[in-house]
Every structure is written in C-alpha cells, then in structure tokens.
Amino acid sequence: MAVKSKLVSLLFLVATLSSTFAASFSNSDSDSDLLNELVSLRSTSESGVIHLDDHGISKFLTSASTPRPYSLLVFFDATQLHSKNELRLQELRREFGIVSASFLANNNGSEGTKLFFCEIEFSQSQSSFQLFGVNALPHIRLVSPSISNLRDESGQMDQSDYSRLAESMAEFVEQRTKLKVGPIQRPPLLSKPQIGVIVALIVIATPFVIKRVLKGETILHDSRLWLSGAIFIYFFSVAGTMHNIIRKMPMFLQDRNDPNKLVFFYQGSGMQLGAEGFAVGFLYTVVGLLLAFVTNVLVRVKNLTAQRLIMLLALFISFWAVKKVVYLDNWKTGYGIHPYWPSSWR
Amino acid sequence: MAALESPQPGTPTAMRNAFGNVLSVLILVLIGVLAFSIRLFSVIKYESVIHEFDPYFNYRVTQFLSKNGIYEFWNWFDDRTWYPLGRVIGGTVYPGLTLTAGTIWWVLNSLNIPLSVETVCVFTAPVFSAFASWATYLLTKEVKGSGAGLAAAALLAMVPSYISRSVAGSYDNEAVAIFALIFTFYLYIKTLNTGSLFYATLNALAYFYMVCSWGGYTFIINLIPMHVLLCIVTGRYSPRLYIAYAPLVVLGTLLAALVPVVGFNAVLTSEHFASFLVFIIIHVVALVYYIKGILSPKMFKVAVTLVVSIGMVVCFIVVAILVALVASSPTGGWSGRSLSLLDPTYASKYIPIIASVSEHQPPTWPSYFMDINVLAFLVPAGIIACFSPLSDASSFVVLYIVMSVYFSGVMVRLMLVLAPAACIMSGIALSQAFDVFTGSIKYQLGASSNSTDDAEDNTSTNNAPKDDASAGKTDKGEEIVKERSSKKGKKKEREPADKPSVKSKIKKKALVLPLEASIVALLLLIMLGAFYVIHCVWAAAEAYSAPSIVLTSQSRDGLHVFDDFRESYAWLSHNTDVDDKVASWWDYGYQTTAMANRTVIVDNNTWNNTHIATVGTAMSSPEKAAWEIFNSLDVKYVLVVFGGLIGYPSDDINKFLWMVRIGGGVFPHIKEADYLRDGQYRIDSEATPTMLNCLMYKLSYYRFVETDGKGYDRVRRTEIGKKNFKLTHFEEVFTSHHWMVRIYKLKPPRNRIRGRTKKLKSKTSSGLSSKSVKKNPWI
C-alpha cells in the first residue's frame, strides 16, 4: 500500500511539475487562452473560418504579444461588393472555406492550432480594414506570428496565388507557413445518400427503359429531339462558348472611357466576349435554319402570296445576317479579303 | 437535247444517266485539279520548300527511308536528337505519311521520272487533298446522292481549314490523314448501306492506313462505336450494322496493333475501350434479334427477360472491369490530349506543355469564319436535310458534325476534322436548295409552255438523290433475303419505309416556290458561293501559304525577304563540327537536325517533359547556372530566335514565359512570379531583376542597343530595360542578317587551365598572380 501511495504521489508531482513547466514554456497563460478561444470559435463555424470583427482583431492580433503562437490567414470580405462579379469575392470566399476545411481535416494534432482561417467584413469592421491598410479587394493576408505592424504587406496573397482557386491558395499557405495543408477536399457534388438513391433509381428504371427501348417508344426515338440537340450543339460551338468557359470571359465589358457604356464586341481575333459570341453564333445558325425552313416547310404551303412574302423576308434576313457577319469579321480581325482579278481587267 | 425529248421511254433516261455520269466524272476531275492547284500558291509566291517545323522532321525521315530502305527505317535509332537520350524513330513515329511519300518517290524513280525526295514531299499534300475531295464525293453520295456529293467535293477542295494544313510544302501527317479519315468513313457508310463483307474488309484496311498516318484515328474508333450505339438505342439495329461494325473492331484493332507507335495501346488505353464495349453490346443485341426471329412472340417474351438479364449482367461486369482499368492507370487511362477534350480546363491546369501550343487553344467565332467561312451558315440547313428522312448514313454524318464541331470548340486544331463534316453538310444543304429553287423555276416556266412532260422530267431530276437512295434500299433488301430468310419483322418495317417515298414523289409535283423569289434566292446562293471562292483563294494565297522558314513583308519600298533561318542553319552546318550539340527551345529542334544536321537537346516531339524543362530552366537561369546546365549536356552552341529588330512576333522572348512555366513545373526554384512585375510580363526598365538577368534576356538583347542607340524592341513596342551588359560565360559567334537568329558559343571552362598556368607562372614569377584574382575566372 505504502509503495502504491508513494507512486501515486510521485505521479501527481510529475504531473504538476510538467504542467507548470509547459505553462512557463509557452510564455504565459494568455496565449493558451487565446488559442483555446480560437479553437472554440473555429469549431462553431462549419468550414472552420472564424468570423472576426474589430474587437476580435484587436484581441487576437494587435493586443496579443509577438511572437504569437499562431498565424492568421485573413480574408477581407465586403458584402456590398458581392454584386460585382468581376471581383469574384463570393467564389474566392467559398474556395477559402474549402482550403480551411481541408486544412482542418488533414491536420488534427498540434499542427492544426498553428494556423487559423479568419474573415472580416468591411461594413462591420471598417477600422480593421484601415489598420491593415486594405483598400482594394479581393485581398487575402497571412499574418505570421512575428508580425506586429499590420500594415506590413509581405503576407499578402498575390493574384496569381488565387488564380487556381483553392489549390494555389493552399500552395501559398504551405510555402509561407511551412505547414501542410494536404489534399484539397472539395465537397462532392452529390452526397452519399443522394448517390445511393440515384443508383437505386437507375437500377429500378433500367428494365422499364429496356422494355420501352425494345418497343421503340422512348423520347430517344423522336428525331426532333436529336435534331434540336444537334442544332444546339452546333450553335453552342460556333458561338465560341467553349472559349468563354475556358478563359472565363465575361458577357460584356465596361467601357474604360465611359463607365455607362457597355462594350459588347472586342476588337482583336484572339479574344471574344460572351454576348458577342452568342450574337454571332445566332447569326451563323439562323441563316441555315431559314434556308431549311424555305426548302422543307415553305414548299408545302399552298398560299402563293404567303410563300412569296415569307420567302422574301427570309432572304432579306439571311442576306443581312451574312453581311453583318462579314462586316464584323473584317472589323474584328482586320483582314482585308479581296478577290484576284486577271490583270488585264484592270 | 433532241435526243432527250425522243418519245421512246427507255432511251432518254439511259442517255440522261450516261450523260450525267460523264459530266460527273468531268466535274470530279476538275475538282481534283482545283484542289491541287489552289494549294500551289506557296510554291508560286515563295519557292518549292518544306514548311514550318514538323514537316522538316518528316522530310528528314523520308530522306532516310529512301536512302536506307524500309527495314533500316523501322530500326532507326536517331542519336542526333534528345541528346544524350536519343530517340527510336521507327517506334515513335506514325509511318503512314513517310511510307506514302517514300512509295511515291520509289514508283516515280522506277518509272524513270527522276524527282528529288524534297519535290515529292512538297507535293504530297496537294495530291492527297485531291484524293480527299473525291473521297468526300463518295461519302456524300452514299448519304444524299451524287448532286450533294459533287457540291461537297467542290467545297472540300477549297475549304480554308484543310488548305491550312495541306498547301504544297506542308508535309505533315494531316495531309494524308484527312483523306484517310474521309475514306474510312465512306467505306463504313458503304458497308452500312450494302452489308457487304468486301467493303467491311476494305474499311478495316482504310482504318489501318489512318492509324498509320495520324494520332487522330482515335476520333474514328470513338465516333463509329457511338454511331452504332446510337443506331441500337434508336431501334435501327440491322445485320448490316453488325457487318459494318464487328469486322472493323476485330480486324482494325489487330491491324492497329501492328503499328509500332500504337502497339498494345490499341487494347490497353481507354480511348479504345468504347469500341470494345459497343462490340459486346452489339453482340447482345444481335442475339436478341436472332432469338426474336426464331421464336414465336409469346416465347420471345419469356426469352427476352432471360437474355436481357444475362446480357445486362455481362455488360455490368465488363463496365466494372473497364472502370477499374481506367481508374487504375495513372492519368485515368486517358492521355493528356484526350482528357483536355473531355474536360476543357484540364490542360491549362495541369499540362503546360500542351497548353503552350497555340493550336491547342479554344477558338473564337472569327476562327470559324476564317476556316470554314460561309459553310458555317449552311451547316444547320444540312443537318435538317439529313433528318428528312433520317437514314443510317445520314445519322452518321449528323453525329460526325456534332462531335467534330464540339471538339473544334475545345481545340482550334480540330477545326481540321470539322472541315470535312461541314463540307458534307453544306454540300447537302446547297444541293437541296438548288434542287428546290431550280425545280420551282423549271416547273413554272414549263407550266406556261407544255406542262405535263416537263413536270415529269422535273420530278425525276428533283428526286435523283432519292431514287438512288431507294435503289440502294432495294439492293439491301435483296441481300438480306439472301442472307437470312427469318427477317419477317425487318421486311414489314421496310415496306412502309418505301411507300412514303412513292407518295412524296406524287406530292412533290405541287411543291414549288414562287418564281421570282426562287430566282432571287438562287442568285443569292450563287453570290454566297462566289464569296466562298473569293475567301478561299484569298486564304490560300495570303493567310496559309507562308512557309514560315522564309518570311516576307510588303512595305512601301517593296518586298522584303527575311531568310535568316536558312542563313543560320547553313552557318551552323558549315562552321561547326558535325558532332557539336546545339541547344535551343524545342520549336527549332526539327529544323536544326534536318537543315543543319547538328545534334539537338530537345525537339518538337515533346516526349520527355523533364528534358524540355531542363532547357527551359537553363534559359530562365542566370548565366552561370545556365552555363553549368548546358555544359553538363555537352552543349557547344545556344541558338535563340529574336524578333525585336524587325518585329517578328513569334520569337523566344514571347515564348519565354512558357519556358519558365515548363521549367518551373519540374524544377521548383524557377518561379513564374519572379519574372512578372505585378502579374505583367515586361522587358522594359520595370522588369524584375530575375528577368533582366536570365539567359534568354541576355542572349536576345546582347549588343541590341548598338543597332539604334536606344534598344527599341519592335515586338514588345518598348525600350529594353537593361541595355549595356557583357556576357561572361557565352560568346556571340553568329547573328543573322536581320538579327532573327543569334548563335552563342559556350566559353570553355578556363579556370582549370588558368590554374595550371598559375602554377607555371608561380614557378617563374609569383608577383603577378595576385593581380588577376578579382577577374572573372570564366573569361
């Protein structure tokens, strides 16, 4: 018994000693308090992004003594600018959340408390924006432990660092903090039960579908569906929509000289705007459709005057469309297409 | 004309047909001449010379083939490229083009027509574009009759997109591959229409030729299965479909595996899996139809559940295996280029070497107008014409245009595959429109004079394509009867299909448009066609004929010719040792080996990303580091292309960011951000120090300020940032007339020799040595 109680007391002693040692090693209690508070704040939000205001900034950054035991990656948000699509604030905020969630999921131990993802909102914390000297968005800033002057912009994320969204943000974080973010875990498009339901539905539906296919009465047998699909894909492609998707082109631009004027057509053949593509794609398609209409449908109309009027209208529209495209093409590319006449004709 | 109006019933149509056939042949010959001659602008305006980059490699391979024979060619290990790795040419090249040109050269020579290999190579492409337009005629004729065929062939003969790849001198795979592509499709349709095994075998052979010629054969081996699947799903399965498909897969895959560059890829990579999957499906379906034929309807209902369930199980197993196979391979089984088609953003994210090539960019709408011109307007009409009525053949061309137009939207290069489809569709549309309009005019003019006779004539000409199609149908009918007698259901389906065509014939008499409107429409169509011709001739003459090895520019003082490339390659071959290694960016690798006969480090066959990244890193590094990299590769000369003096935009400085990106992809100490000032690429005084100190900058702008005193770069339209500097590890040995090509020699590492001299000197006099310590040891 005596031995046992001795052992217990010894253990107790060791425990107290080590805890005091640990506390003294981490400089002060306030640091661990701050850490605990940050961790608890983080656990309340879904993706692990802590929403800070002026008070939070002063508490965790300005009044905390350097070096702080944590880095903060701050996303500067402004709800009033969400309507401006070219800033991509909402998209970046979403990606920021994904990086944060991936970081949390991949770092469970002590590594997880070295970096916290925060956001501050302009209308709620204007003074913090001034404190950071942020006057243009999008802006993401890493505040590393040793930084005391918040105006120090060395931690700013460049445009190239969020150009590839979450992946490049994670690279930035790994480069600067030497912490591992790990693989980006995007939420799957469909959750697991949803996938299960869909698979079950497909399995149940297959016999019926096969039965109908064998009978030949699905919508797949309706050639009009295929026809409209084919025409649509044609329109989609010649409009250069793929280019707009890959290059993420906007539908139109604002004129630099006159902000009220919108630019729909971009001069120079390497680039096009969304609306421009659709307009010309429509012109491309409409001529063929009118021609098909005249040769397939209009010939069956009995009324001669109606035929005449519709046909003249169709011809006029087609002529105008071709002319317009030729004009636009010459304007856009600057090519001077010219015929070659025999020299004796000149 | 008198003969045509003779009263005997049999003779006029026979005469008409004979006359029509002769006329068709004549037109086809003219189309061939047109296709050939429109591509000669490059020879007339410039000279008979091989163009651009890849053709030089093909030319060099053909030279080797004609000199050493086919077996040597097959085993050729090329040590003049990818130093020190080398390249197995026989196993990594699509041999179709080379073998074709080699054969032509051999045949001509054995006929005692002494043409040089170069001449044969220069004119291969125009000859094959004539073949391609004839193949288009055949294909379109199978779909919608000979009128549409002729129109499509004429359109294809001068479609700018195809011209861009097949002008005289553009000796590249696509030149023969487009012909092979169209011809394979023709044989597939022909088999589908006739159900003949003879054509099925030919089809497999044509497919083999296509596999030999171009990596684009995967388009065929995915498109045809898709069409088969489409036919099955829409209830169009027939034994003809089986004959058209099954032999193609079996024979075609076996033959494809014979081509060394494809080899076991023909069964291992997932680009081919679709065809195997459909191969299984078509067998299941064929079994179902077979059982349906031999059983009574009641029994069939019982059997169908059985067969379908077994078939489903088999399918599921196979699908599972395929998915597992695809998932297990590193890129998901799909090569990068194919993946970038399915997920268009893939390449730009992960593979800079693919994204860097300009022909892999997505096109904008002017590209379509430039490359298929007014065909873009006519295609929708052609699609609709193919749907009325929809046949197996017309559904195939619809699928072809839809697929190719989608893929062309992802990669501008695939516009080339779209062009034949667009020509076929436009040919069908044009021919239908001409049919209707001329028919209306003829009917109404005839109605005023003698109504009955001409009306009949009119219908017969109007329906000429339809007649052909229905004749084809009866043929098929007969053959099927020969094959199997159990196709009751099939026959029933066929009969109503034939009836409407008879009905429509009767109806068609009344189907006319107003006279004057038809005339106006006809005139407008002719104007449209004329505009197309003007555009194509202009494109052939101005846009696509430049050989890019010789450049010209028209200014007020007349024509300027920039022949710097050949000048410098000639310099290399005359002034350097035959075993010297020349480093340049990969674009100029093929030209250097072919024209200067010097060993290069990387070339346009971008098979080894690391090696290219090494060169990219050297170009992006400061002089000393670059010297070390190059020296470790035994490089003696470095060649850079510089356009700043004359304003040649596709020079190395403009390509430099890609060197950085590709280099940085493998060697992370090269970071793109170090070369950009606020995300902008600039070379003026605002440029970053890393940029101003990298090798590419120095080699490009060395002594540039001596030209005009300011160092004004005409491509970037700015004065350069760092004007006066000296090279420490490289010395300039050659700069071409217009400064387009600059060649530098690596300075020998003098320090070791200097150390020896130091020793020698210290023996004689020790006082001098301390003086030279501060000097750069490399000089």
Side-chain angles (χ1 to χ4, degrees), chain B residues 571-619:
Chain B
W571 185 90
L572 269 180
S573 75
H574 285 113
N575 296 287
T576 60
D577 189 73
V578 84
D579 287 325
D580 281 348
K581 280 76 183 167
V582 180
S584 64
W585 189 233
W586 57 263
D587 295 20
Y588 312 102
Y590 279 165
Q591 290 181 349
T592 313
T593 40
M595 289 161 90
N597 190 25
R598 292 295 173 268
T599 309
V600 296
I601 307 298
V602 290
D603 68 21
N604 311 44
N605 177 267
T606 50
W607 66 275
N608 188 328
N609 193 24
T610 319
H611 223 51
I612 293 181
T614 310
V615 175
T617 307
M619 295 292 192

Coordinates of all heavy atoms in Angstrom, one line a residue, chain B residues 571-619:
Chain B
W571 N 25.0 28.4 -91.6 CA 26.2 28.7 -90.9 C 26.6 27.6 -90.0 O 27.7 27.2 -89.9 CB 25.9 30.0 -90.1 CG 27.2 30.5 -89.4 CD1 28.1 31.4 -89.9 CD2 27.6 30.1 -88.1 NE1 29.1 31.5 -89.0 CE2 28.8 30.8 -87.9 CE3 27.1 29.3 -87.1 CZ2 29.6 30.6 -86.7 CZ3 27.8 29.1 -86.0 CH2 29.0 29.8 -85.8
L572 N 25.5 27.1 -89.3 CA 25.8 26.0 -88.3 C 26.5 24.8 -89.0 O 27.4 24.3 -88.6 CB 24.5 25.5 -87.6 CG 24.1 26.2 -86.3 CD1 22.8 25.6 -85.9 CD2 25.2 26.0 -85.3
S573 N 25.9 24.5 -90.2 CA 26.4 23.3 -90.8 C 27.8 23.5 -91.4 O 28.5 22.5 -91.6 CB 25.4 22.8 -91.9 OG 25.4 23.6 -93.0
H574 N 28.1 24.7 -91.7 CA 29.4 25.0 -92.3 C 30.5 25.3 -91.3 O 31.7 25.1 -91.6 CB 29.3 26.1 -93.4 CG 28.7 25.7 -94.6 ND1 27.5 26.2 -95.0 CD2 29.0 24.8 -95.6 CE1 27.1 25.6 -96.2 NE2 28.0 24.8 -96.5
N575 N 30.1 25.8 -90.2 CA 31.1 26.4 -89.3 C 31.3 25.6 -88.0 O 32.1 26.0 -87.1 CB 30.8 27.8 -89.0 CG 31.0 28.7 -90.2 OD1 32.0 28.9 -90.7 ND2 29.8 29.1 -90.7
T576 N 30.5 24.6 -87.8 CA 30.6 23.8 -86.5 C 31.0 22.4 -86.9 O 30.7 21.9 -88.0 CB 29.3 23.9 -85.7 OG1 28.3 23.3 -86.5 CG2 29.0 25.3 -85.4
D577 N 31.5 21.7 -85.8 CA 31.8 20.3 -86.0 C 30.5 19.5 -86.1 O 29.5 19.8 -85.6 CB 32.6 19.9 -84.8 CG 33.2 18.5 -85.1 OD1 34.2 18.4 -85.9 OD2 32.7 17.5 -84.5
V578 N 30.6 18.4 -86.9 CA 29.4 17.7 -87.2 C 28.8 17.0 -85.9 O 27.6 16.8 -85.8 CB 29.7 16.6 -88.2 CG1 30.3 15.3 -87.6 CG2 28.5 16.3 -89.1
D579 N 29.6 16.9 -84.9 CA 29.1 16.3 -83.6 C 28.8 17.3 -82.6 O 28.5 16.9 -81.4 CB 30.1 15.2 -83.1 CG 30.0 14.0 -84.0 OD1 28.9 13.6 -84.5 OD2 31.1 13.3 -84.2
D580 N 28.8 18.5 -82.9 CA 28.5 19.6 -81.9 C 27.1 19.5 -81.5 O 26.2 19.2 -82.3 CB 28.9 20.9 -82.4 CG 30.4 21.2 -82.3 OD1 31.1 20.4 -81.6 OD2 30.9 22.1 -83.0
K581 N 26.8 19.9 -80.2 CA 25.4 19.9 -79.8 C 24.9 21.3 -79.7 O 25.6 22.2 -79.2 CB 25.3 19.3 -78.4 CG 25.3 17.8 -78.4 CD 26.7 17.2 -78.6 CE 26.7 15.7 -78.6 NZ 28.0 15.2 -79.1
V582 N 23.7 21.5 -80.2 CA 23.2 22.8 -80.3 C 21.9 22.9 -79.4 O 21.0 22.0 -79.6 CB 22.8 23.2 -81.7 CG1 22.2 24.6 -81.7 CG2 24.0 23.1 -82.6
A583 N 21.8 23.8 -78.5 CA 20.7 23.9 -77.6 C 19.8 25.1 -78.1 O 20.3 26.1 -78.5 CB 21.1 24.1 -76.2
S584 N 18.5 24.8 -78.2 CA 17.6 25.9 -78.5 C 16.2 25.5 -77.9 O 16.1 24.4 -77.3 CB 17.4 26.1 -80.0 OG 16.8 24.9 -80.5
W585 N 15.3 26.4 -77.9 CA 13.9 26.0 -77.4 C 13.4 24.9 -78.4 O 13.8 24.9 -79.5 CB 13.0 27.2 -77.4 CG 11.7 26.9 -76.7 CD1 10.5 27.1 -77.2 CD2 11.5 26.3 -75.4 NE1 9.5 26.7 -76.3 CE2 10.2 26.2 -75.2 CE3 12.4 25.8 -74.4 CZ2 9.6 25.7 -74.0 CZ3 11.9 25.3 -73.3 CH2 10.5 25.2 -73.1
W586 N 12.5 24.1 -77.9 CA 12.2 22.9 -78.7 C 11.6 23.2 -80.1 O 11.7 22.3 -81.0 CB 11.3 21.9 -78.0 CG 10.0 22.4 -77.4 CD1 9.7 22.8 -76.2 CD2 8.7 22.4 -78.1 NE1 8.4 23.1 -76.0 CE2 7.8 22.9 -77.2 CE3 8.3 22.1 -79.4 CZ2 6.4 23.1 -77.6 CZ3 7.0 22.3 -79.7 CH2 6.1 22.8 -78.8
D587 N 11.0 24.3 -80.3 CA 10.4 24.7 -81.6 C 11.4 24.5 -82.7 O 11.0 24.2 -83.8 CB 9.9 26.1 -81.6 CG 8.8 26.3 -80.6 OD1 8.7 25.5 -79.7 OD2 8.1 27.3 -80.8
Y588 N 12.7 24.7 -82.5 CA 13.6 24.7 -83.6 C 14.5 23.5 -83.7 O 15.4 23.4 -84.4 CB 14.6 26.0 -83.4 CG 13.8 27.2 -83.1 CD1 13.7 27.7 -81.9 CD2 13.0 27.8 -84.2 CE1 12.8 28.8 -81.6 CE2 12.2 28.8 -83.9 CZ 12.1 29.4 -82.6 OH 11.3 30.4 -82.4
G589 N 14.1 22.5 -82.9 CA 14.8 21.2 -82.9 C 14.8 20.5 -84.2 O 15.8 20.1 -84.7
Y590 N 13.6 20.3 -84.7 CA 13.4 19.6 -86.0 C 14.2 20.3 -87.1 O 14.9 19.6 -87.9 CB 12.0 19.5 -86.4 CG 11.2 18.4 -85.7 CD1 9.8 18.3 -85.7 CD2 11.9 17.3 -85.1 CE1 9.1 17.3 -85.1 CE2 11.2 16.3 -84.5 CZ 9.8 16.3 -84.5 OH 9.1 15.3 -83.9
Q591 N 14.1 21.6 -87.2 CA 14.8 22.3 -88.2 C 16.3 22.2 -88.1 O 17.0 22.0 -89.1 CB 14.4 23.8 -88.2 CG 12.9 24.0 -88.6 CD 12.5 25.4 -88.6 OE1 13.2 26.3 -88.1 NE2 11.4 25.7 -89.2
T592 N 16.8 22.3 -86.9 CA 18.2 22.2 -86.7 C 18.7 20.8 -87.2 O 19.8 20.8 -87.9 CB 18.6 22.4 -85.3 OG1 17.9 23.6 -84.8 CG2 20.1 22.7 -85.1
T593 N 18.0 19.8 -86.8 CA 18.5 18.4 -87.2 C 18.4 18.3 -88.7 O 19.3 17.7 -89.3 CB 17.8 17.3 -86.5 OG1 16.4 17.6 -86.4 CG2 18.4 17.0 -85.1
A594 N 17.3 18.8 -89.3 CA 17.1 18.5 -90.7 C 17.9 19.4 -91.6 O 18.5 18.9 -92.5 CB 15.6 18.7 -91.0
M595 N 18.1 20.7 -91.2 CA 18.8 21.6 -92.1 C 20.2 21.8 -91.8 O 21.0 22.0 -92.7 CB 18.0 22.9 -92.1 CG 16.7 22.8 -92.8 SD 15.7 24.2 -92.4 CE 16.0 25.4 -93.5
A596 N 20.6 21.7 -90.5 CA 22.0 21.9 -90.1 C 22.7 20.6 -89.9 O 23.9 20.6 -89.8 CB 22.1 22.9 -88.9
N597 N 21.9 19.6 -89.7 CA 22.5 18.2 -89.4 C 23.3 18.3 -88.1 O 24.4 17.7 -88.1 CB 23.3 17.7 -90.6 CG 23.6 16.3 -90.4 OD1 22.9 15.5 -89.6 ND2 24.7 15.8 -91.0
R598 N 22.8 19.0 -87.1 CA 23.5 19.0 -85.8 C 22.7 18.4 -84.7 O 21.4 18.4 -84.8 CB 23.9 20.5 -85.4 CG 24.9 21.1 -86.3 CD 26.3 20.4 -86.2 NE 27.2 20.9 -87.2 CZ 27.4 20.4 -88.4 NH1 26.7 19.4 -88.8 NH2 28.3 20.9 -89.2
T599 N 23.3 17.9 -83.7 CA 22.6 17.2 -82.6 C 21.9 18.3 -81.8 O 22.5 19.3 -81.4 CB 23.5 16.4 -81.8 OG1 24.3 15.6 -82.6 CG2 22.8 15.6 -80.8
V600 N 20.6 18.0 -81.4 CA 19.9 19.0 -80.6 C 19.5 18.3 -79.2 O 19.6 17.1 -79.1 CB 18.6 19.5 -81.3 CG1 19.0 20.3 -82.5 CG2 17.7 18.3 -81.6
I601 N 19.2 19.1 -78.3 CA 18.8 18.6 -77.0 C 17.4 18.2 -76.9 O 17.0 17.1 -76.4 CB 19.2 19.6 -75.9 CG1 20.6 20.1 -76.0 CG2 18.9 19.1 -74.5 CD1 21.6 19.0 -75.8
V602 N 16.5 19.1 -77.4 CA 15.1 18.8 -77.4 C 14.5 19.2 -78.8 O 15.1 20.0 -79.5 CB 14.3 19.6 -76.3 CG1 14.7 19.2 -75.0 CG2 14.6 21.1 -76.5
D603 N 13.5 18.5 -79.2 CA 12.8 18.9 -80.4 C 11.3 18.9 -80.3 O 10.8 18.7 -79.2 CB 13.4 18.1 -81.6 CG 13.0 16.7 -81.6 OD1 12.0 16.4 -80.9 OD2 13.6 15.9 -82.2
N604 N 10.6 19.1 -81.5 CA 9.2 19.3 -81.4 C 8.4 18.0 -81.0 O 7.2 18.1 -80.8 CB 8.7 19.7 -82.8 CG 9.6 20.9 -83.3 OD1 10.8 20.8 -83.2 ND2 8.9 21.8 -83.9
N605 N 9.1 16.9 -81.0 CA 8.4 15.7 -80.5 C 8.6 15.8 -79.0 O 9.6 15.3 -78.4 CB 9.1 14.5 -81.1 CG 8.5 13.2 -80.5 OD1 9.0 12.7 -79.5 ND2 7.4 12.7 -81.1
T606 N 7.6 16.3 -78.3 CA 7.8 16.7 -76.9 C 7.5 15.5 -76.0 O 6.7 15.5 -75.1 CB 6.8 17.8 -76.5 OG1 5.5 17.4 -77.0 CG2 7.2 19.1 -77.2
W607 N 8.3 14.5 -76.2 CA 8.0 13.2 -75.4 C 8.6 13.2 -74.0 O 8.1 12.5 -73.2 CB 8.5 12.0 -76.2 CG 10.0 11.9 -76.3 CD1 10.7 12.5 -77.3 CD2 10.9 11.1 -75.5 NE1 12.0 12.1 -77.1 CE2 12.2 11.3 -76.1 CE3 10.7 10.3 -74.4 CZ2 13.3 10.8 -75.5 CZ3 11.9 9.8 -73.9 CH2 13.1 10.0 -74.4
N608 N 9.6 14.0 -73.8 CA 10.2 14.0 -72.4 C 10.2 15.4 -71.8 O 10.9 16.3 -72.1 CB 11.7 13.6 -72.6 CG 12.3 13.3 -71.2 OD1 12.0 13.9 -70.3 ND2 13.2 12.4 -71.2
N609 N 9.2 15.5 -70.9 CA 8.9 16.8 -70.3 C 10.1 17.3 -69.5 O 10.4 18.5 -69.5 CB 7.7 16.7 -69.4 CG 7.1 18.0 -69.0 OD1 7.4 19.0 -69.7 ND2 6.4 18.1 -68.0
T610 N 10.8 16.4 -68.8 CA 11.9 16.7 -67.9 C 13.0 17.4 -68.7 O 13.6 18.4 -68.3 CB 12.4 15.5 -67.2 OG1 11.3 14.7 -66.8 CG2 13.3 15.9 -66.0
H611 N 13.3 16.8 -69.9 CA 14.4 17.3 -70.7 C 14.1 18.7 -71.2 O 14.9 19.5 -71.2 CB 14.5 16.3 -71.9 CG 16.0 16.0 -72.2 ND1 16.9 15.6 -71.3 CD2 16.6 16.1 -73.4 CE1 18.0 15.4 -71.9 NE2 17.9 15.7 -73.1
I612 N 12.8 18.9 -71.6 CA 12.4 20.2 -72.1 C 12.5 21.2 -70.9 O 13.0 22.3 -71.0 CB 11.0 20.1 -72.7 CG1 11.0 19.3 -74.0 CG2 10.5 21.5 -72.9 CD1 9.7 19.2 -74.6
A613 N 12.1 20.7 -69.7 CA 12.1 21.6 -68.6 C 13.5 22.0 -68.2 O 13.8 23.1 -67.8 CB 11.5 20.9 -67.4
T614 N 14.5 21.0 -68.5 CA 15.9 21.4 -68.2 C 16.3 22.5 -69.1 O 17.0 23.5 -68.6 CB 16.8 20.1 -68.5 OG1 16.2 19.0 -67.8 CG2 18.2 20.4 -68.0
V615 N 16.0 22.4 -70.4 CA 16.4 23.5 -71.3 C 15.7 24.8 -70.9 O 16.3 25.9 -70.8 CB 16.1 23.2 -72.7 CG1 16.3 24.3 -73.6 CG2 16.9 22.0 -73.2
G616 N 14.4 24.7 -70.5 CA 13.6 25.9 -70.0 C 14.3 26.5 -68.8 O 14.4 27.7 -68.7
T617 N 14.7 25.6 -67.9 CA 15.4 26.1 -66.7 C 16.7 26.8 -67.0 O 17.0 27.9 -66.5 CB 15.7 25.0 -65.8 OG1 14.5 24.2 -65.5 CG2 16.2 25.4 -64.4
A618 N 17.4 26.2 -68.0 CA 18.7 26.9 -68.3 C 18.4 28.3 -68.9 O 19.1 29.2 -68.6 CB 19.4 26.0 -69.4
M619 N 17.4 28.4 -69.8 CA 17.1 29.6 -70.4 C 16.6 30.7 -69.4 O 16.8 31.8 -69.6 CB 16.0 29.5 -71.5 CG 16.4 28.6 -72.7 SD 17.7 29.4 -73.6 CE 17.8 28.4 -75.1

